[in-house]
């Protein structure tokens, strides 16, 4: 009986570690994301710092033109977990204006971002890069 209990304990630990190892939901949102907006694509890097997340641009493509971001191009800030299981933070447009920003899990590797820009909601689909 003790051997069976030990086996079940080891099995549970292995199962849990494999289940959560590749699941961004269990690790937060740090890492690179492929972004799809209404008429553009991009790659964002989300970095964790002191319990919050900050996002910067890696690459942005619209109408066949690609812009590369820099290491200091953070335009998403103070992102933290919300009560609903998603995230809430601030999004800055190129003119420097601050906007409300939310992320909601759609699957283990996909998020939906909503940015409230003057009452108009802009929606992006985020897919975790491997």
């Amino acid at each position: 009986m003790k051997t069976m209990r030990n086996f079940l304990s080891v099995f549970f630990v292995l199962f849990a570690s494999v289940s959560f190892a590749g699941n961004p939901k269990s690790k937060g949102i740090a890492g690179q994301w492929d972004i799809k907006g209404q008429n553009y694509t991009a790659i964002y890097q989300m970095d964790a710092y002191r319990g919050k997340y900050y996002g910067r641009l890696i690459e942005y493509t619209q109408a066949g033109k690609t812009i590369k971001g820099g290491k200091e191009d953070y335009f998403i800030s103070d992102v933290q977990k919300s009560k609903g299981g998603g995230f809430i933070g601030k999004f800055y447009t190129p003119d420097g204006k601050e906007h409300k920003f939310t992320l909601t899990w759609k699957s283990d590797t996909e998020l939906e971002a909503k940015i409230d820009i003057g009452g108009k909601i802009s929606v992006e689909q985020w897919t975790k890069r491997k």
Side-chain angles (χ1 to χ4, degrees), residues 54-118:
Y54 298 84
R56 63 186 169 92
L57 178 69
I58 301 295
E59 184 178 288
Y60 179 89
T61 303
Q62 184 176 22
K65 290 186 177 185
T66 299
I67 299 169
K68 300 283 185 182
K71 290 184 179 183
E72 303 300 322
D73 292 336
Y74 285 93
F75 64 98
I76 300 172
S77 72
D78 299 319
V79 178
Q80 55 193 334
K81 288 185 180 180
S82 66
K83 291 181 183 178
F87 298 86
I88 189 164
K90 300 172 187 172
F91 185 98
Y92 295 90
T93 49
D95 61 6
K97 292 184 181 175
E98 177 184 308
H99 305 280
K100 182 180 174 185
F101 172 74
T102 60
L103 289 169
T104 306
W105 288 107
K106 294 300 177 185
S107 74
D108 289 345
T109 59
E110 296 177 320
L111 291 162
E112 180 178 79
K114 291 185 179 178
I115 304 121
D116 184 344
I117 301 175

